[in-house]
PDB file of all heavy atoms in Angstrom:
ATOM      1  N   TRP A   1      -2.508  -0.033   2.070  1.00 98.00           N
ATOM      2  CA  TRP A   1      -1.731   0.743   3.020  1.00 98.00           C
ATOM      3  C   TRP A   1      -1.815   2.210   2.625  1.00 98.00           C
ATOM      4  O   TRP A   1      -1.753   2.548   1.442  1.00 98.00           O
ATOM      5  CB  TRP A   1      -0.267   0.303   3.050  1.00 98.00           C
ATOM      6  CG  TRP A   1      -0.022  -0.934   3.857  1.00 98.00           C
ATOM      7  CD1 TRP A   1       0.088  -2.204   3.409  1.00 98.00           C
ATOM      8  CD2 TRP A   1       0.170  -0.991   5.275  1.00 98.00           C
ATOM      9  NE1 TRP A   1       0.328  -3.067   4.446  1.00 98.00           N
ATOM     10  CE2 TRP A   1       0.383  -2.352   5.609  1.00 98.00           C
ATOM     11  CE3 TRP A   1       0.180  -0.039   6.293  1.00 98.00           C
ATOM     12  CZ2 TRP A   1       0.597  -2.775   6.926  1.00 98.00           C
ATOM     13  CZ3 TRP A   1       0.393  -0.456   7.597  1.00 98.00           C
ATOM     14  CH2 TRP A   1       0.599  -1.803   7.896  1.00 98.00           C
ATOM     15  N   TYR A   2      -1.938   3.037   3.625  1.00 98.00           N
ATOM     16  CA  TYR A   2      -2.028   4.475   3.442  1.00 98.00           C
ATOM     17  C   TYR A   2      -1.071   5.144   4.399  1.00 98.00           C
ATOM     18  O   TYR A   2      -0.604   4.537   5.360  1.00 98.00           O
ATOM     19  CB  TYR A   2      -3.454   4.965   3.719  1.00 98.00           C
ATOM     20  CG  TYR A   2      -4.506   4.297   2.872  1.00 98.00           C
ATOM     21  CD1 TYR A   2      -4.938   3.000   3.153  1.00 98.00           C
ATOM     22  CD2 TYR A   2      -5.073   4.961   1.782  1.00 98.00           C
ATOM     23  CE1 TYR A   2      -5.903   2.376   2.371  1.00 98.00           C
ATOM     24  CE2 TYR A   2      -6.040   4.346   1.005  1.00 98.00           C
ATOM     25  CZ  TYR A   2      -6.447   3.058   1.302  1.00 98.00           C
ATOM     26  OH  TYR A   2      -7.403   2.451   0.523  1.00 98.00           O
ATOM     27  N   ARG A   3      -0.784   6.395   4.147  1.00 98.00           N
ATOM     28  CA  ARG A   3       0.071   7.120   5.071  1.00 98.00           C
ATOM     29  C   ARG A   3      -0.340   8.579   5.124  1.00 98.00           C
ATOM     30  O   ARG A   3      -0.912   9.123   4.185  1.00 98.00           O
ATOM     31  CB  ARG A   3       1.541   6.999   4.677  1.00 98.00           C
ATOM     32  CG  ARG A   3       1.912   7.680   3.363  1.00 98.00           C
ATOM     33  CD  ARG A   3       3.344   7.348   2.996  1.00 98.00           C
ATOM     34  NE  ARG A   3       3.749   7.983   1.748  1.00 98.00           N
ATOM     35  CZ  ARG A   3       4.881   7.726   1.125  1.00 98.00           C
ATOM     36  NH1 ARG A   3       5.749   6.841   1.630  1.00 98.00           N
ATOM     37  NH2 ARG A   3       5.174   8.348  -0.014  1.00 98.00           N
ATOM     38  N   GLN A   4      -0.036   9.185   6.234  1.00 98.00           N
ATOM     39  CA  GLN A   4      -0.332  10.597   6.433  1.00 98.00           C
ATOM     40  C   GLN A   4       0.909  11.278   6.979  1.00 98.00           C
ATOM     41  O   GLN A   4       1.297  11.061   8.124  1.00 98.00           O
ATOM     42  CB  GLN A   4      -1.510  10.782   7.386  1.00 98.00           C
ATOM     43  CG  GLN A   4      -1.925  12.225   7.559  1.00 98.00           C
ATOM     44  CD  GLN A   4      -3.215  12.379   8.337  1.00 98.00           C
ATOM     45  OE1 GLN A   4      -3.827  13.438   8.345  1.00 98.00           O
ATOM     46  NE2 GLN A   4      -3.651  11.312   8.990  1.00 98.00           N
ATOM     47  N   GLY A   5       1.544  12.068   6.146  1.00 97.00           N
ATOM     48  CA  GLY A   5       2.726  12.787   6.554  1.00 97.00           C
ATOM     49  C   GLY A   5       2.372  14.031   7.335  1.00 97.00           C
ATOM     50  O   GLY A   5       1.214  14.439   7.400  1.00 97.00           O
ATOM     51  N   PRO A   6       3.359  14.659   7.934  1.00 93.00           N
ATOM     52  CA  PRO A   6       3.125  15.870   8.727  1.00 93.00           C
ATOM     53  C   PRO A   6       2.446  16.960   7.902  1.00 93.00           C
ATOM     54  O   PRO A   6       2.941  17.333   6.835  1.00 93.00           O
ATOM     55  CB  PRO A   6       4.529  16.297   9.150  1.00 93.00           C
ATOM     56  CG  PRO A   6       5.338  15.040   9.089  1.00 93.00           C
ATOM     57  CD  PRO A   6       4.780  14.283   7.918  1.00 93.00           C
ATOM     58  N   GLY A   7       1.329  17.445   8.383  1.00 94.00           N
ATOM     59  CA  GLY A   7       0.622  18.509   7.702  1.00 94.00           C
ATOM     60  C   GLY A   7      -0.035  18.106   6.399  1.00 94.00           C
ATOM     61  O   GLY A   7      -0.456  18.974   5.629  1.00 94.00           O
ATOM     62  N   LYS A   8      -0.131  16.827   6.138  1.00 96.00           N
ATOM     63  CA  LYS A   8      -0.721  16.345   4.898  1.00 96.00           C
ATOM     64  C   LYS A   8      -1.935  15.472   5.155  1.00 96.00           C
ATOM     65  O   LYS A   8      -2.164  15.007   6.270  1.00 96.00           O
ATOM     66  CB  LYS A   8       0.314  15.554   4.089  1.00 96.00           C
ATOM     67  CG  LYS A   8       1.547  16.337   3.696  1.00 96.00           C
ATOM     68  CD  LYS A   8       2.504  15.470   2.902  1.00 96.00           C
ATOM     69  CE  LYS A   8       3.739  16.236   2.479  1.00 96.00           C
ATOM     70  NZ  LYS A   8       4.671  15.378   1.707  1.00 96.00           N
ATOM     71  N   GLU A   9      -2.704  15.265   4.094  1.00 97.00           N
ATOM     72  CA  GLU A   9      -3.834  14.358   4.178  1.00 97.00           C
ATOM     73  C   GLU A   9      -3.374  12.928   3.968  1.00 97.00           C
ATOM     74  O   GLU A   9      -2.300  12.667   3.421  1.00 97.00           O
ATOM     75  CB  GLU A   9      -4.881  14.720   3.134  1.00 97.00           C
ATOM     76  CG  GLU A   9      -5.615  16.017   3.404  1.00 97.00           C
ATOM     77  CD  GLU A   9      -7.117  15.859   3.303  1.00 97.00           C
ATOM     78  OE1 GLU A   9      -7.584  15.255   2.316  1.00 97.00           O
ATOM     79  OE2 GLU A   9      -7.826  16.312   4.215  1.00 97.00           O
ATOM     80  N   ARG A  10      -4.192  12.012   4.403  1.00 97.00           N
ATOM     81  CA  ARG A  10      -3.894  10.608   4.213  1.00 97.00           C
ATOM     82  C   ARG A  10      -3.867  10.286   2.723  1.00 97.00           C
ATOM     83  O   ARG A  10      -4.732  10.734   1.967  1.00 97.00           O
ATOM     84  CB  ARG A  10      -4.934   9.749   4.925  1.00 97.00           C
ATOM     85  CG  ARG A  10      -4.690   8.246   4.826  1.00 97.00           C
ATOM     86  CD  ARG A  10      -5.790   7.480   5.557  1.00 97.00           C
ATOM     87  NE  ARG A  10      -5.677   7.614   7.008  1.00 97.00           N
ATOM     88  CZ  ARG A  10      -6.668   7.984   7.798  1.00 97.00           C
ATOM     89  NH1 ARG A  10      -7.858   8.274   7.307  1.00 97.00           N
ATOM     90  NH2 ARG A  10      -6.471   8.058   9.109  1.00 97.00           N
ATOM     91  N   GLU A  11      -2.864   9.549   2.296  1.00 97.00           N
ATOM     92  CA  GLU A  11      -2.735   9.183   0.908  1.00 97.00           C
ATOM     93  C   GLU A  11      -2.539   7.680   0.761  1.00 97.00           C
ATOM     94  O   GLU A  11      -1.977   7.020   1.633  1.00 97.00           O
ATOM     95  CB  GLU A  11      -1.560   9.917   0.253  1.00 97.00           C
ATOM     96  CG  GLU A  11      -0.202   9.535   0.829  1.00 97.00           C
ATOM     97  CD  GLU A  11       0.954  10.213   0.132  1.00 97.00           C
ATOM     98  OE1 GLU A  11       0.734  10.907  -0.880  1.00 97.00           O
ATOM     99  OE2 GLU A  11       2.099  10.050   0.601  1.00 97.00           O
ATOM    100  N   TRP A  12      -2.979   7.163  -0.352  1.00 97.00           N
ATOM    101  CA  TRP A  12      -2.826   5.755  -0.649  1.00 97.00           C
ATOM    102  C   TRP A  12      -1.383   5.450  -1.026  1.00 97.00           C
ATOM    103  O   TRP A  12      -0.736   6.227  -1.724  1.00 97.00           O
ATOM    104  CB  TRP A  12      -3.760   5.374  -1.797  1.00 97.00           C
ATOM    105  CG  TRP A  12      -3.560   3.993  -2.327  1.00 97.00           C
ATOM    106  CD1 TRP A  12      -4.023   2.824  -1.791  1.00 97.00           C
ATOM    107  CD2 TRP A  12      -2.851   3.637  -3.517  1.00 97.00           C
ATOM    108  NE1 TRP A  12      -3.645   1.757  -2.569  1.00 97.00           N
ATOM    109  CE2 TRP A  12      -2.927   2.234  -3.635  1.00 97.00           C
ATOM    110  CE3 TRP A  12      -2.168   4.370  -4.493  1.00 97.00           C
ATOM    111  CZ2 TRP A  12      -2.337   1.545  -4.698  1.00 97.00           C
ATOM    112  CZ3 TRP A  12      -1.590   3.690  -5.545  1.00 97.00           C
ATOM    113  CH2 TRP A  12      -1.670   2.305  -5.643  1.00 97.00           C
ATOM    114  N   VAL A  13      -0.894   4.327  -0.575  1.00 98.00           N
ATOM    115  CA  VAL A  13       0.481   3.935  -0.827  1.00 98.00           C
ATOM    116  C   VAL A  13       0.574   2.651  -1.638  1.00 98.00           C
ATOM    117  O   VAL A  13       1.323   2.574  -2.614  1.00 98.00           O
ATOM    118  CB  VAL A  13       1.260   3.757   0.492  1.00 98.00           C
ATOM    119  CG1 VAL A  13       2.672   3.231   0.222  1.00 98.00           C
ATOM    120  CG2 VAL A  13       1.326   5.076   1.248  1.00 98.00           C
ATOM    121  N   ALA A  14      -0.159   1.637  -1.227  1.00 98.00           N
ATOM    122  CA  ALA A  14      -0.070   0.341  -1.877  1.00 98.00           C
ATOM    123  C   ALA A  14      -1.352  -0.437  -1.676  1.00 98.00           C
ATOM    124  O   ALA A  14      -2.057  -0.242  -0.687  1.00 98.00           O
ATOM    125  CB  ALA A  14       1.116  -0.457  -1.338  1.00 98.00           C
ATOM    126  N   GLY A  15      -1.641  -1.321  -2.595  1.00 97.00           N
ATOM    127  CA  GLY A  15      -2.828  -2.145  -2.483  1.00 97.00           C
ATOM    128  C   GLY A  15      -2.602  -3.529  -3.029  1.00 97.00           C
ATOM    129  O   GLY A  15      -1.736  -3.742  -3.886  1.00 97.00           O
ATOM    130  N   ILE A  16      -3.389  -4.457  -2.537  1.00 96.00           N
ATOM    131  CA  ILE A  16      -3.344  -5.831  -3.013  1.00 96.00           C
ATOM    132  C   ILE A  16      -4.756  -6.377  -3.025  1.00 96.00           C
ATOM    133  O   ILE A  16      -5.551  -6.114  -2.122  1.00 96.00           O
ATOM    134  CB  ILE A  16      -2.409  -6.700  -2.138  1.00 96.00           C
ATOM    135  CG1 ILE A  16      -2.269  -8.110  -2.722  1.00 96.00           C
ATOM    136  CG2 ILE A  16      -2.897  -6.753  -0.693  1.00 96.00           C
ATOM    137  CD1 ILE A  16      -1.175  -8.930  -2.059  1.00 96.00           C
ATOM    138  N   THR A  17      -5.088  -7.134  -4.060  1.00 94.00           N
ATOM    139  CA  THR A  17      -6.408  -7.724  -4.181  1.00 94.00           C
ATOM    140  C   THR A  17      -6.387  -9.171  -3.729  1.00 94.00           C
ATOM    141  O   THR A  17      -5.331  -9.765  -3.522  1.00 94.00           O
ATOM    142  CB  THR A  17      -6.917  -7.662  -5.627  1.00 94.00           C
ATOM    143  OG1 THR A  17      -6.139  -8.564  -6.433  1.00 94.00           O
ATOM    144  CG2 THR A  17      -6.810  -6.253  -6.190  1.00 94.00           C
ATOM    145  N   SER A  18      -7.575  -9.740  -3.604  1.00 91.00           N
ATOM    146  CA  SER A  18      -7.672 -11.146  -3.235  1.00 91.00           C
ATOM    147  C   SER A  18      -7.042 -12.036  -4.293  1.00 91.00           C
ATOM    148  O   SER A  18      -6.638 -13.158  -3.999  1.00 91.00           O
ATOM    149  CB  SER A  18      -9.132 -11.540  -3.017  1.00 91.00           C
ATOM    150  OG  SER A  18      -9.912 -11.311  -4.179  1.00 91.00           O
ATOM    151  N   GLY A  19      -6.975 -11.542  -5.515  1.00 92.00           N
ATOM    152  CA  GLY A  19      -6.352 -12.284  -6.587  1.00 92.00           C
ATOM    153  C   GLY A  19      -4.846 -12.139  -6.635  1.00 92.00           C
ATOM    154  O   GLY A  19      -4.186 -12.788  -7.447  1.00 92.00           O
ATOM    155  N   GLY A  20      -4.309 -11.297  -5.777  1.00 93.00           N
ATOM    156  CA  GLY A  20      -2.871 -11.134  -5.701  1.00 93.00           C
ATOM    157  C   GLY A  20      -2.305  -9.975  -6.496  1.00 93.00           C
ATOM    158  O   GLY A  20      -1.088  -9.758  -6.501  1.00 93.00           O
ATOM    159  N   THR A  21      -3.157  -9.229  -7.169  1.00 97.00           N
ATOM    160  CA  THR A  21      -2.681  -8.083  -7.919  1.00 97.00           C
ATOM    161  C   THR A  21      -2.248  -6.977  -6.969  1.00 97.00           C
ATOM    162  O   THR A  21      -2.962  -6.646  -6.032  1.00 97.00           O
ATOM    163  CB  THR A  21      -3.778  -7.548  -8.848  1.00 97.00           C
ATOM    164  OG1 THR A  21      -4.178  -8.575  -9.758  1.00 97.00           O
ATOM    165  CG2 THR A  21      -3.273  -6.347  -9.650  1.00 97.00           C
ATOM    166  N   THR A  22      -1.101  -6.418  -7.217  1.00 98.00           N
ATOM    167  CA  THR A  22      -0.586  -5.338  -6.383  1.00 98.00           C
ATOM    168  C   THR A  22      -0.416  -4.063  -7.184  1.00 98.00           C
ATOM    169  O   THR A  22      -0.158  -4.091  -8.390  1.00 98.00           O
ATOM    170  CB  THR A  22       0.758  -5.710  -5.749  1.00 98.00           C
ATOM    171  OG1 THR A  22       1.709  -6.015  -6.779  1.00 98.00           O
ATOM    172  CG2 THR A  22       0.610  -6.919  -4.833  1.00 98.00           C
ATOM    173  N   ASN A  23      -0.560  -2.961  -6.500  1.00 98.00           N
ATOM    174  CA  ASN A  23      -0.354  -1.651  -7.099  1.00 98.00           C
ATOM    175  C   ASN A  23       0.315  -0.754  -6.073  1.00 98.00           C
ATOM    176  O   ASN A  23       0.102  -0.908  -4.873  1.00 98.00           O
ATOM    177  CB  ASN A  23      -1.671  -1.026  -7.550  1.00 98.00           C
ATOM    178  CG  ASN A  23      -2.270  -1.722  -8.740  1.00 98.00           C
ATOM    179  OD1 ASN A  23      -3.158  -2.564  -8.606  1.00 98.00           O
ATOM    180  ND2 ASN A  23      -1.779  -1.375  -9.933  1.00 98.00           N
ATOM    181  N   TYR A  24       1.094   0.178  -6.571  1.00 98.00           N
ATOM    182  CA  TYR A  24       1.847   1.053  -5.697  1.00 98.00           C
ATOM    183  C   TYR A  24       1.829   2.483  -6.181  1.00 98.00           C
ATOM    184  O   TYR A  24       1.764   2.749  -7.390  1.00 98.00           O
ATOM    185  CB  TYR A  24       3.311   0.600  -5.611  1.00 98.00           C
ATOM    186  CG  TYR A  24       3.483  -0.808  -5.117  1.00 98.00           C
ATOM    187  CD1 TYR A  24       3.541  -1.870  -6.013  1.00 98.00           C
ATOM    188  CD2 TYR A  24       3.580  -1.083  -3.760  1.00 98.00           C
ATOM    189  CE1 TYR A  24       3.693  -3.172  -5.563  1.00 98.00           C
ATOM    190  CE2 TYR A  24       3.732  -2.377  -3.302  1.00 98.00           C
ATOM    191  CZ  TYR A  24       3.790  -3.417  -4.207  1.00 98.00           C
ATOM    192  OH  TYR A  24       3.941  -4.709  -3.752  1.00 98.00           O
ATOM    193  N   GLN A  25       1.895   3.380  -5.234  1.00 98.00           N
ATOM    194  CA  GLN A  25       2.135   4.765  -5.558  1.00 98.00           C
ATOM    195  C   GLN A  25       3.498   4.837  -6.241  1.00 98.00           C
ATOM    196  O   GLN A  25       4.441   4.141  -5.857  1.00 98.00           O
ATOM    197  CB  GLN A  25       2.124   5.604  -4.279  1.00 98.00           C
ATOM    198  CG  GLN A  25       2.408   7.073  -4.487  1.00 98.00           C
ATOM    199  CD  GLN A  25       2.466   7.812  -3.169  1.00 98.00           C
ATOM    200  OE1 GLN A  25       1.450   7.993  -2.492  1.00 98.00           O
ATOM    201  NE2 GLN A  25       3.665   8.248  -2.809  1.00 98.00           N
ATOM    202  N   ASP A  26       3.597   5.671  -7.260  1.00 98.00           N
ATOM    203  CA  ASP A  26       4.830   5.738  -8.037  1.00 98.00           C
ATOM    204  C   ASP A  26       6.072   5.972  -7.177  1.00 98.00           C
ATOM    205  O   ASP A  26       7.141   5.421  -7.453  1.00 98.00           O
ATOM    206  CB  ASP A  26       4.739   6.838  -9.096  1.00 98.00           C
ATOM    207  CG  ASP A  26       3.839   6.465 -10.253  1.00 98.00           C
ATOM    208  OD1 ASP A  26       3.525   5.264 -10.411  1.00 98.00           O
ATOM    209  OD2 ASP A  26       3.449   7.368 -11.011  1.00 98.00           O
ATOM    210  N   SER A  27       5.935   6.774  -6.164  1.00 98.00           N
ATOM    211  CA  SER A  27       7.092   7.133  -5.354  1.00 98.00           C
ATOM    212  C   SER A  27       7.666   5.970  -4.553  1.00 98.00           C
ATOM    213  O   SER A  27       8.799   6.055  -4.072  1.00 98.00           O
ATOM    214  CB  SER A  27       6.747   8.284  -4.403  1.00 98.00           C
ATOM    215  OG  SER A  27       5.808   7.881  -3.426  1.00 98.00           O
ATOM    216  N   VAL A  28       6.900   4.890  -4.406  1.00 98.00           N
ATOM    217  CA  VAL A  28       7.382   3.759  -3.620  1.00 98.00           C
ATOM    218  C   VAL A  28       7.623   2.520  -4.461  1.00 98.00           C
ATOM    219  O   VAL A  28       8.086   1.497  -3.934  1.00 98.00           O
ATOM    220  CB  VAL A  28       6.426   3.418  -2.458  1.00 98.00           C
ATOM    221  CG1 VAL A  28       6.136   4.662  -1.631  1.00 98.00           C
ATOM    222  CG2 VAL A  28       5.128   2.800  -2.974  1.00 98.00           C
ATOM    223  N   LYS A  29       7.336   2.581  -5.735  1.00 98.00           N
ATOM    224  CA  LYS A  29       7.550   1.436  -6.613  1.00 98.00           C
ATOM    225  C   LYS A  29       9.014   1.011  -6.592  1.00 98.00           C
ATOM    226  O   LYS A  29       9.913   1.844  -6.673  1.00 98.00           O
ATOM    227  CB  LYS A  29       7.127   1.762  -8.041  1.00 98.00           C
ATOM    228  CG  LYS A  29       5.633   1.812  -8.254  1.00 98.00           C
ATOM    229  CD  LYS A  29       5.281   2.094  -9.712  1.00 98.00           C
ATOM    230  CE  LYS A  29       3.788   2.095  -9.930  1.00 98.00           C
ATOM    231  NZ  LYS A  29       3.425   2.420 -11.329  1.00 98.00           N
ATOM    232  N   GLY A  30       9.209  -0.280  -6.486  1.00 98.00           N
ATOM    233  CA  GLY A  30      10.558  -0.810  -6.441  1.00 98.00           C
ATOM    234  C   GLY A  30      11.165  -0.799  -5.060  1.00 98.00           C
ATOM    235  O   GLY A  30      12.233  -1.387  -4.852  1.00 98.00           O
ATOM    236  N   ARG A  31      10.505  -0.140  -4.123  1.00 98.00           N
ATOM    237  CA  ARG A  31      11.023  -0.062  -2.761  1.00 98.00           C
ATOM    238  C   ARG A  31      10.107  -0.747  -1.754  1.00 98.00           C
ATOM    239  O   ARG A  31      10.577  -1.347  -0.791  1.00 98.00           O
ATOM    240  CB  ARG A  31      11.223   1.397  -2.345  1.00 98.00           C
ATOM    241  CG  ARG A  31      12.197   2.173  -3.233  1.00 98.00           C
ATOM    242  CD  ARG A  31      12.521   3.548  -2.644  1.00 98.00           C
ATOM    243  NE  ARG A  31      11.332   4.394  -2.538  1.00 98.00           N
ATOM    244  CZ  ARG A  31      10.855   4.877  -1.387  1.00 98.00           C
ATOM    245  NH1 ARG A  31      11.472   4.600  -0.243  1.00 98.00           N
ATOM    246  NH2 ARG A  31       9.774   5.650  -1.390  1.00 98.00           N
ATOM    247  N   PHE A  32       8.813  -0.636  -1.971  1.00 98.00           N
ATOM    248  CA  PHE A  32       7.832  -1.207  -1.050  1.00 98.00           C
ATOM    249  C   PHE A  32       7.184  -2.433  -1.667  1.00 98.00           C
ATOM    250  O   PHE A  32       6.977  -2.506  -2.888  1.00 98.00           O
ATOM    251  CB  PHE A  32       6.729  -0.201  -0.731  1.00 98.00           C
ATOM    252  CG  PHE A  32       7.157   0.967   0.116  1.00 98.00           C
ATOM    253  CD1 PHE A  32       8.489   1.239   0.373  1.00 98.00           C
ATOM    254  CD2 PHE A  32       6.193   1.813   0.655  1.00 98.00           C
ATOM    255  CE1 PHE A  32       8.872   2.322   1.151  1.00 98.00           C
ATOM    256  CE2 PHE A  32       6.554   2.894   1.431  1.00 98.00           C
ATOM    257  CZ  PHE A  32       7.891   3.157   1.682  1.00 98.00           C
ATOM    258  N   THR A  33       6.820  -3.375  -0.831  1.00 98.00           N
ATOM    259  CA  THR A  33       6.119  -4.564  -1.269  1.00 98.00           C
ATOM    260  C   THR A  33       4.986  -4.871  -0.301  1.00 98.00           C
ATOM    261  O   THR A  33       5.216  -4.989   0.901  1.00 98.00           O
ATOM    262  CB  THR A  33       7.051  -5.784  -1.343  1.00 98.00           C
ATOM    263  OG1 THR A  33       8.139  -5.514  -2.227  1.00 98.00           O
ATOM    264  CG2 THR A  33       6.284  -6.999  -1.873  1.00 98.00           C
ATOM    265  N   ILE A  34       3.787  -4.978  -0.827  1.00 98.00           N
ATOM    266  CA  ILE A  34       2.639  -5.320  -0.004  1.00 98.00           C
ATOM    267  C   ILE A  34       2.354  -6.810  -0.165  1.00 98.00           C
ATOM    268  O   ILE A  34       2.478  -7.373  -1.253  1.00 98.00           O
ATOM    269  CB  ILE A  34       1.402  -4.471  -0.387  1.00 98.00           C
ATOM    270  CG1 ILE A  34       0.240  -4.747   0.575  1.00 98.00           C
ATOM    271  CG2 ILE A  34       0.991  -4.712  -1.830  1.00 98.00           C
ATOM    272  CD1 ILE A  34      -0.948  -3.795   0.380  1.00 98.00           C
ATOM    273  N   SER A  35       1.976  -7.433   0.914  1.00 97.00           N
ATOM    274  CA  SER A  35       1.641  -8.848   0.882  1.00 97.00           C
ATOM    275  C   SER A  35       0.587  -9.132   1.937  1.00 97.00           C
ATOM    276  O   SER A  35       0.299  -8.296   2.784  1.00 97.00           O
ATOM    277  CB  SER A  35       2.883  -9.714   1.107  1.00 97.00           C
ATOM    278  OG  SER A  35       3.466  -9.452   2.366  1.00 97.00           O
ATOM    279  N   ARG A  36       0.022 -10.316   1.882  1.00 94.00           N
ATOM    280  CA  ARG A  36      -1.005 -10.695   2.830  1.00 94.00           C
ATOM    281  C   ARG A  36      -0.961 -12.185   3.091  1.00 94.00           C
ATOM    282  O   ARG A  36      -0.363 -12.946   2.329  1.00 94.00           O
ATOM    283  CB  ARG A  36      -2.393 -10.315   2.305  1.00 94.00           C
ATOM    284  CG  ARG A  36      -2.750 -10.998   0.981  1.00 94.00           C
ATOM    285  CD  ARG A  36      -4.197 -10.772   0.601  1.00 94.00           C
ATOM    286  NE  ARG A  36      -4.506 -11.345  -0.708  1.00 94.00           N
ATOM    287  CZ  ARG A  36      -4.821 -12.613  -0.914  1.00 94.00           C
ATOM    288  NH1 ARG A  36      -4.868 -13.472   0.113  1.00 94.00           N
ATOM    289  NH2 ARG A  36      -5.095 -13.049  -2.134  1.00 94.00           N
ATOM    290  N   ASP A  37      -1.606 -12.606   4.157  1.00 91.00           N
ATOM    291  CA  ASP A  37      -1.741 -14.026   4.401  1.00 91.00           C
ATOM    292  C   ASP A  37      -2.945 -14.525   3.620  1.00 91.00           C
ATOM    293  O   ASP A  37      -3.679 -13.757   2.994  1.00 91.00           O
ATOM    294  CB  ASP A  37      -1.843 -14.341   5.900  1.00 91.00           C
ATOM    295  CG  ASP A  37      -3.093 -13.775   6.562  1.00 91.00           C
ATOM    296  OD1 ASP A  37      -3.980 -13.235   5.870  1.00 91.00           O
ATOM    297  OD2 ASP A  37      -3.180 -13.888   7.800  1.00 91.00           O
ATOM    298  N   LYS A  38      -3.146 -15.819   3.650  1.00 84.00           N
ATOM    299  CA  LYS A  38      -4.187 -16.433   2.841  1.00 84.00           C
ATOM    300  C   LYS A  38      -5.566 -15.885   3.152  1.00 84.00           C
ATOM    301  O   LYS A  38      -6.373 -15.634   2.243  1.00 84.00           O
ATOM    302  CB  LYS A  38      -4.165 -17.952   3.028  1.00 84.00           C
ATOM    303  CG  LYS A  38      -5.184 -18.695   2.180  1.00 84.00           C
ATOM    304  CD  LYS A  38      -5.080 -20.193   2.400  1.00 84.00           C
ATOM    305  CE  LYS A  38      -6.098 -20.952   1.565  1.00 84.00           C
ATOM    306  NZ  LYS A  38      -5.993 -22.425   1.775  1.00 84.00           N
ATOM    307  N   ALA A  39      -5.852 -15.711   4.420  1.00 81.00           N
ATOM    308  CA  ALA A  39      -7.171 -15.260   4.843  1.00 81.00           C
ATOM    309  C   ALA A  39      -7.349 -13.751   4.779  1.00 81.00           C
ATOM    310  O   ALA A  39      -8.476 -13.262   4.889  1.00 81.00           O
ATOM    311  CB  ALA A  39      -7.452 -15.752   6.265  1.00 81.00           C
ATOM    312  N   GLY A  40      -6.271 -13.042   4.618  1.00 81.00           N
ATOM    313  CA  GLY A  40      -6.359 -11.593   4.606  1.00 81.00           C
ATOM    314  C   GLY A  40      -6.479 -10.996   5.993  1.00 81.00           C
ATOM    315  O   GLY A  40      -6.840  -9.825   6.132  1.00 81.00           O
ATOM    316  N   ASN A  41      -6.161 -11.796   7.001  1.00 88.00           N
ATOM    317  CA  ASN A  41      -6.214 -11.289   8.364  1.00 88.00           C
ATOM    318  C   ASN A  41      -5.000 -10.429   8.695  1.00 88.00           C
ATOM    319  O   ASN A  41      -5.063  -9.590   9.592  1.00 88.00           O
ATOM    320  CB  ASN A  41      -6.304 -12.445   9.360  1.00 88.00           C
ATOM    321  CG  ASN A  41      -7.615 -13.190   9.266  1.00 88.00           C
ATOM    322  OD1 ASN A  41      -8.646 -12.601   8.936  1.00 88.00           O
ATOM    323  ND2 ASN A  41      -7.588 -14.479   9.552  1.00 88.00           N
ATOM    324  N   THR A  42      -3.928 -10.676   7.989  1.00 93.00           N
ATOM    325  CA  THR A  42      -2.715  -9.914   8.188  1.00 93.00           C
ATOM    326  C   THR A  42      -2.192  -9.423   6.858  1.00 93.00           C
ATOM    327  O   THR A  42      -2.130 -10.182   5.890  1.00 93.00           O
ATOM    328  CB  THR A  42      -1.628 -10.751   8.887  1.00 93.00           C
ATOM    329  OG1 THR A  42      -2.135 -11.276  10.121  1.00 93.00           O
ATOM    330  CG2 THR A  42      -0.402  -9.904   9.176  1.00 93.00           C
TER     331      THR A  42
END
């Protein structure tokens, strides 16, 4: 997941791998959670 704020460039927010490892931008840690379905379609 990425985001682009007003007047800013697109920045990375959160990621998840096929193995289930997640990573977050420091500013959203503890607040945001990324998840996916089994196939990665959603």
Side-chain angles (χ1 to χ4, degrees):
W1 280 97
Y2 303 77
R3 67 187 180 189
Q4 184 171 194
K8 300 180 179 180
E9 290 230 313
R10 182 181 288 128
E11 65 177 354
W12 172 80
V13 175
I16 185 170
T17 70
S18 59
T21 301
T22 59
N23 290 98
Y24 302 92
Q25 178 184 290
D26 286 344
S27 67
V28 308
K29 286 182 178 178
R31 300 189 298 119
F32 290 12
T33 302
I34 185 172
S35 61
R36 60 171 176 84
D37 65 7
K38 182 179 180 180
N41 293 329
T42 305

